[in-house]
Every structure is written in C-alpha cells, then in structure tokens.
Amino acid sequence: MGTRERKERELAERKQLIINKSKELFFEYGFNNVSVSDICKAVEYGQSAIYSIFASKEEIYGYIYLEAMVILADHINAIDIGKINLKHPLYDFTLEIFEFYEKYNPYYTALFFLDSNHVALSKIPLYLLEQKYKEKERAMIPVREVMHRGIAQHIIQDIEVDRVIFTYFSSILGIINTYLVENIEPDNIALKEMIIEHVGIYERGLWQ
C-alpha cells in the first residue's frame, strides 16, 4: 500500500471513529447536550483534528441522520411486495415503520429531531441532504409500485399516488411523533394498535 492510500485509509478510520463515538454521545444525551468538546474527549482528539474533518457537530450528526434513513429504506425494501394484499396496500409498510421506531428508536429520534429542527438542519452539508433525499425516494419505490398495481387491477381508486404516499407517511409518523414531542412514554402495544387502526381507515378510503 502506497503512502497516499495509507493516509486515505487512516483518515477514513479517524472519520468513522468520530462518527461512532459521537453517535454514542448523541444517542445517550441528545444532540443539544453534546458539544464538540465532549466529542473530543470521547475520541481523544483535539478540536483542530475534529474540525479538519468535519465543519461542525451538525455535519457529524448528518451522517447519523443519513444512516437512519438508510436503515429505514432497507427495511421497507425488504418487504416482499408480491405478497401484499392490494386491499390493504399499506399494512406491511406500516409494520416496518413501527418496527423501525421500536427497534431503532435512537435512529428514529435522530430523523425526527433534524426534520423538526430547521436551524440544525440548515447546517447539514448539501451532499448529505442529497444522499438522505435519495434514500427517502428509495423508501418510496416499493410503496409506489404497490399503489400503481392496485390501481391497474381496479382495487384502488385512480389517485395521485405520490400525494397519497406523502399524506400516508405524514399521518403515521405524526401519530408517533406526538409521543416524542410531548415526552410521553407510550405503551408500544397500544401505539401499534392505534397506528394499524389508523392505516385501516386510510386504506378503506383508497378502495374502488
């Protein structure tokens, strides 16, 4: 391995170490309660070493934000959409969203925090936001495909699919996010039942 390749590898390793240690801090204490100084102590680097790689703690958080969206998109794309009941086109996707919330709660919170914090979001570099939006689009692909198949088979009304998908995601996440905003510790069984009931009502409005 040449000198250039070795330096690039070492830089990548330092960058990943900073992201991983920062993630531990953010998940435990929350974004607002972690400073760059805290990150420096965790990785045993000086601030100059941190700032030589990242412009801000928002940029570091942006990588976690992106990672959260990748996990969610992977979960949604893992669904076998060929087996979906077109009378209930959103049920399986709803279960995956809830599972992401339940099993990957710190990542869910990371997504919710930045999406609702416009000041922090404005400091995320554009290249990270673009990657996040691509992952968001990837998450929509199977949902869109199922909806179009339902329309083609005259099970679902001829609707504007992207608008329906947007309102669907917004309503499901809105129910979950209410608990986060109000700092309610939900009964996850009751919350899951509420979401499933909601999506059932939503689906019935799509039928021909």
Side-chain angles (χ1 to χ4, degrees):
M1 180 182 295
T3 302
R4 179 180 176 182
E5 289 80 6
R6 184 172 61 255
K7 287 183 177 180
E8 288 177 350
R9 187 187 67 179
E10 290 172 353
L11 178 61
E13 289 173 351
R14 286 199 299 272
K15 183 176 182 178
Q16 194 59 52
L17 173 65
I18 293 168
I19 292 170
N20 291 342
K21 289 293 185 181
S22 298
K23 180 164 56 179
E24 292 174 9
L25 294 172
F26 289 139
F27 283 179
E28 183 171 357
Y29 301 109
F31 176 82
N32 290 327
N33 297 317
V34 175
S35 67
V36 173
S37 294
D38 294 326
I39 296 170
C40 289
K41 291 177 184 177
V43 297
E44 299 182 341
Y45 290 161
Q47 287 200 15
S48 60
I50 301 290
Y51 283 121
S52 69
I53 301 174
F54 300 100
S56 63
K57 75 169 184 175
E58 285 82 7
E59 182 175 2
I60 300 173
Y61 201 81
Y63 281 90
I64 301 162
Y65 179 63
L66 172 60
E67 187 178 347
M69 195 66 237
V70 169
I71 293 170
L72 178 57
D74 284 346
H75 270 249
I76 291 176
N77 278 274
I79 295 172
D80 184 352
I81 60 175
K83 295 181 179 179
I84 286 180
N85 180 349
L86 295 179
K87 273 285 188 179
H88 300 285
L90 301 173
Y91 179 81
D92 294 83
F93 298 115
T94 302
L95 292 183
E96 285 299 332
I97 292 170
F98 182 79
E99 182 174 308
F100 173 69
Y101 161 76
E102 189 173 40
K103 293 186 176 180
Y104 297 88
N105 190 263
Y107 283 106
Y108 182 96
T109 303
L111 277 177
F112 171 68
F113 172 78
L114 273 188
D115 283 341
S116 61
N117 188 317
H118 299 296
V119 174
L121 189 61
S122 68
K123 297 180 181 179
I124 301 295
L126 182 59
Y127 73 93
L128 283 175
L129 293 179
E130 288 175 344
Q131 290 181 61
K132 187 263 186 179
Y133 294 142
K134 286 179 181 177
E135 289 302 316
K136 183 178 180 180
E137 174 62 22
R138 184 166 70 90
M140 291 177 62
I141 290 172
V143 189
R144 189 181 291 123
E145 185 173 336
V146 168
M147 298 297 286
H148 280 299
R149 193 164 73 239
I151 293 170
Q153 295 184 24
H154 306 292
I155 296 172
I156 297 172
Q157 299 178 51
D158 189 4
I159 52 173
E160 189 174 334
V161 169
D162 280 2
R163 181 175 294 182
V164 169
I165 292 174
F166 173 79
T167 57
Y168 157 67
F169 275 110
S170 297
S171 61
I172 293 298
L173 298 178
I175 293 171
I176 298 173
N177 293 347
T178 297
Y179 286 91
L180 295 179
V181 170
E182 298 181 5
N183 294 315
I184 299 172
E185 281 294 333
D187 175 343
N188 279 351
I189 294 175
L191 177 58
K192 184 177 181 179
E193 290 175 351
M194 184 190 308
I195 291 171
I196 290 173
E197 180 181 357
H198 170 80
V199 80
I201 295 170
Y202 192 93
E203 287 173 328
R204 288 195 290 275
L206 300 175
W207 294 347
Q208 279 274 35

